[in-house]
Amino acid sequence: MKNKITLTQRESILRELLLDISDYIAESGRERPVLRFTGGWVRDKLLGVASEDIDIGISSMTGFEFGTYMKRFIEGCSRSSKYGPDIVGNVAKIEANPEKSKHLETATTKILGLDIDLVNLRKETYVESSRNPTMEFGSPEDDAFRRDATVNALFYNLSSAEVEDLTRRGMQDLEAGVIRTPLEPYQTFRDDPLRVLRCVRFASRLGFSIDLGAEQSMADGSIRDSLRRKISRERIGVEVEKMLKGPCARLSLSLIDRLKLYTTIFTDPKWPGEPALDLIGWHRAYEQLDKLLDPGNRYSLLDLVQSILGLTVAKLHRDNVYRAWLLCALVPWARVDCAAELKDTKGYLPGPARIAREGLKVDNRTMNMIKGASLHFDEIITSKNLFIEGKEDHLTKEKLGMSIRRWGPQWRSSVAFALCVESTEVLDTDNLSTLVNHYALWLNRVRNQGVLEAYRLQPFVGGEELMHALKRKGGRWLVDALNVVMRWQLRNPDKSNESDKESAIAEVLEHFKGEDGDT
């Protein structure tokens, strides 16, 4: 692999601008900063992958200081005119970013559509009780060796236009496709256990293997304990989301499974010790989902499942695919009663939803989707089995439509969860294929009955009309009455005129025959 990088036009203009700013700083009496593109941008460029995010390492001042000089240069230096008004406009706003480092200020800006982070080269010192290091100005070597992987420790020196491999392993590992820590792996992960998840994420994203020594340290019980104790659940949730939205979520889950990280990552922090989960069959769930999502692994029934559940490579289905992977990751908790285990019945949540909320800190919308899938997957499995057994009287338009309404707008995700749960219980490949075929046939029945969007239907006889017809005030009975109307509509899809309302109301009256009073 060549260690030369060819810049795009935008990147060339950015390099020239930054070098002019460096000269401008030297002319003001300050030490001329040496500038480097660092980290992921260098790695991606060497792999031939375009990147819009560039971290700029600065040798002799903070990122915020450099950003301040950048602003002055743009506003007052005549040399800035050669770059044109577009750059002037984009660099006009420099924002301090103290959250990125508690000790040394950084800055962010946007130039020619590129997202730029300005940060000084740094050295990190860790203490046992925290993953947050004390930071100070460091040398290029300090900055390279503090990073999580050698392939992320490559620099592009703007002055020399050359790649710098200060760990002396980065280029070799990039060519070999290996994730390796620059320093001894056990201490690297002990200092910052979040690096365990980052190594998993980069290995799956890049399709790389993880160095054996690093793998052994990642699976070490004391490292898993540090990950559980020192890393916030919010940070863990962010890393998991990036993994599952990446190009190879299956590899991420496979690494988590093989390195025995599951109960460290997917857990409730209130859980005493490590939960005793059955993970033996989980691999079948993520392998089956990967096959289902593979656009090159096509046959008609698989296509049908993919299209109805919205699990395609199309951009509009990207969130569906992420939700499917997240649900797949939570399958081992599908039948675990967390409330009983933790003696916590307040605000009951099924196992997967609780782990998502407490262990990954997902947003409420995602948590509610997972809650729905956890509550409905058994009912979905039963419905599918009844159809396969030929008991079609249980799968009429009325019954299927009411089920879809009960399962709600996210019912497709619930079906994906049911499929993943059942996949863990199947022992061979032939039976897995049969399972997918059964779901395809059942989904085809749902589609042919015209109830894929049944959750959107509105009762064509409203609550006011029902209260007037039954001479009752509003109350809990009204929900039941509206469901009677909806069942009538599903049985009579072509009858929606004003004159048809009498038949629907008559069915409601018959349903409540013998009852009186305000229920």
Side-chain angles (χ1 to χ4, degrees):
M1 180 179 289
K2 294 181 179 180
N3 63 345
K4 297 292 288 184
I5 286 178
T6 301
L7 301 181
T8 65
Q9 183 180 9
R10 287 189 302 167
E11 292 162 350
S12 296
I13 294 172
L14 173 64
R15 172 178 175 266
E16 189 175 353
L17 170 66
L18 293 170
L19 290 174
D20 275 355
I21 294 169
S22 185
D23 290 340
Y24 171 72
I25 292 170
E27 290 168 6
S28 72
R30 293 285 300 269
E31 177 185 347
R32 175 185 280 103
V34 178
L35 305 176
R36 295 170 171 86
F37 292 163
T38 67
W41 179 89
V42 183
R43 177 200 67 225
D44 288 348
K45 288 290 286 189
L46 289 168
L47 290 172
V49 178
S51 178
E52 300 286 303
D53 300 317
I54 304 180
D55 292 346
I56 299 171
I58 306 163
S59 64
S60 57
M61 61 178 60
T62 68
F64 186 68
E65 285 181 290
F66 187 88
T68 301
Y69 276 105
M70 177 185 286
K71 197 169 184 180
R72 291 176 190 165
F73 176 82
I74 293 299
E75 290 174 349
C77 182
S78 60
R79 283 178 293 185
S80 69
S81 60
K82 70 179 180 181
Y83 298 107
D86 289 342
I87 289 184
V88 174
N90 285 323
V91 178
K93 186 177 183 182
I94 300 290
E95 297 176 344
N97 189 8
E99 291 302 315
K100 191 165 183 178
S101 166
K102 291 184 173 66
H103 307 282
L104 297 167
E105 288 182 309
T106 67
T108 63
T109 188
K110 201 173 186 74
I111 302 175
L112 291 174
L114 299 169
D115 293 310
I116 307 298
D117 274 9
L118 302 168
V119 59
N120 59 279
L121 299 177
R122 57 188 60 189
K123 179 180 180 180
E124 297 177 345
T125 304
Y126 287 88
V127 295
E128 175 64 24
S129 60
S130 174
R131 67 167 288 269
N132 294 317
T134 299
M135 295 187 184
E136 57 186 291
F137 281 95
S139 67
E141 289 78 9
D142 291 329
D143 199 79
F145 279 94
R146 74 177 178 83
R147 294 175 182 263
D148 46 25
T150 57
V151 297
N152 294 335
L154 297 166
F155 298 156
Y156 174 79
N157 188 306
L158 270 64
S159 297
S160 66
E162 292 182 350
V163 174
E164 298 174 335
D165 182 6
L166 302 177
T167 69
R168 297 178 177 80
R169 295 298 298 266
M171 290 298 300
Q172 177 183 331
D173 288 340
L174 193 65
E175 187 166 8
V178 174
I179 298 295
R180 185 194 317 274
T181 57
L183 298 173
E184 193 277 323
Y186 181 85
Q187 192 59 48
T188 296
F189 298 132
R190 187 82 174 178
D191 287 341
D192 184 359
L194 189 66
R195 289 170 174 157
V196 170
L197 301 190
R198 287 175 58 82
C199 283
V200 169
R201 174 161 63 86
F202 284 118
S204 62
R205 174 186 165 188
L206 300 172
F208 284 12
S209 62
I210 299 177
D211 168 65
L212 180 59
E215 277 200 0
Q216 291 172 341
S217 295
M218 291 163 75
D220 185 274
S222 62
I223 297 299
R224 298 202 311 270
D225 182 63
S226 292
L227 179 58
R228 191 183 300 108
R229 287 185 299 102
K230 293 171 69 172
I231 306 301
S232 73
R233 302 315 299 186
E234 288 83 0
R235 292 301 301 271
I236 289 176
V238 167
E239 285 297 322
V240 168
E241 181 176 350
K242 288 178 179 179
M243 289 179 201
L244 300 183
K245 287 183 174 179
C248 194
R250 182 202 60 79
L251 182 54
S252 291
L253 297 184
S254 176
L255 286 167
I256 287 169
D257 194 7
R258 181 162 59 80
L259 297 175
K260 297 179 173 56
L261 295 168
Y262 186 88
T263 53
T264 302
I265 298 169
F266 298 98
T267 190
D268 184 330
K270 296 177 184 175
W271 200 278
E274 288 198 10
L277 298 176
D278 181 3
L279 297 169
I280 293 174
W282 180 47
H283 68 95
R284 288 189 285 271
Y286 55 74
E287 288 166 0
Q288 184 61 53
L289 182 57
D290 191 54
K291 290 178 183 176
L292 184 63
L293 295 170
D294 183 359
N297 187 21
R298 303 264 56 87
Y299 62 91
S300 58
L301 289 178
L302 200 62
D303 273 341
L304 189 147
V305 174
Q306 190 188 57
S307 62
I308 291 180
L309 296 186
L311 298 176
T312 72
V313 295
K315 189 174 182 180
L316 64 93
H317 289 155
R318 193 172 296 164
D319 287 343
N320 295 347
V321 171
Y322 163 65
R323 285 193 290 266
W325 278 118
L326 179 57
L327 287 166
C328 183
L330 295 166
V331 159
W333 289 94
R335 302 190 189 279
V336 178
D337 188 347
C338 291
E341 292 286 344
L342 295 170
K343 297 179 175 58
D344 178 12
T345 57
K346 184 178 180 181
Y348 172 77
L349 283 176
R354 185 180 185 108
I355 298 308
R357 186 185 70 181
E358 302 299 331
L360 303 178
K361 297 298 182 182
V362 301
D363 59 74
N364 286 336
R365 184 170 180 269
T366 302
M367 192 274 291
N368 286 330
M369 178 274 296
I370 296 168
K371 179 179 179 181
S374 305
L375 293 173
H376 298 137
F377 77 91
D378 269 328
E379 188 180 350
I380 290 168
I381 292 172
T382 298
S383 177
K384 180 264 302 178
N385 288 342
L386 286 170
F387 176 69
I388 297 304
E389 292 165 7
K391 299 175 181 177
E392 297 196 12
D393 56 318
H394 291 275
L395 287 102
T396 62
K397 184 184 184 76
E398 174 190 346
K399 290 184 178 179
L400 277 176
M402 293 305 291
S403 293
I404 296 293
R405 289 178 62 78
R406 189 164 54 254
W407 301 336
Q410 301 289 351
W411 72 270
R412 291 174 172 85
S413 293
S414 300
V415 173
F417 186 58
L419 174 56
C420 287
V421 171
E422 280 205 278
S423 295
T424 67
E425 301 161 358
V426 174
L427 299 180
D428 59 67
T429 303
D430 289 341
N431 285 337
L432 273 173
S433 297
T434 300
L435 178 66
V436 174
N437 291 346
H438 286 173
Y439 271 91
L441 295 170
W442 176 76
L443 284 166
N444 194 47
R445 172 74 172 197
V446 175
R447 181 174 64 180
N448 289 342
Q449 292 286 14
V451 293
L452 291 175
E453 306 297 320
Y455 61 88
R456 297 181 185 274
L457 293 177
Q458 296 296 321
F460 83 131
V461 180
E464 291 289 338
E465 292 172 285
L466 290 173
M467 286 188 285
H468 177 74
L470 274 70
K471 297 180 173 56
R472 285 185 171 189
K473 296 178 181 179
R476 285 176 295 177
W477 70 272
L478 192 54
V479 174
D480 195 14
L482 290 169
N483 281 333
V484 172
V485 172
M486 185 54 62
R487 287 195 291 270
W488 186 94
Q489 281 180 238
L490 287 165
R491 288 198 310 275
N492 301 278
D494 299 326
K495 296 181 179 180
S496 57
N497 296 323
E498 195 70 23
S499 59
D500 296 318
K501 288 185 177 183
E502 290 183 9
S503 296
I505 292 172
E507 190 160 313
V508 175
L509 288 167
E510 181 65 24
H511 178 79
F512 286 101
K513 192 174 183 180
E515 295 184 23
D516 54 22
D518 181 14
T519 305

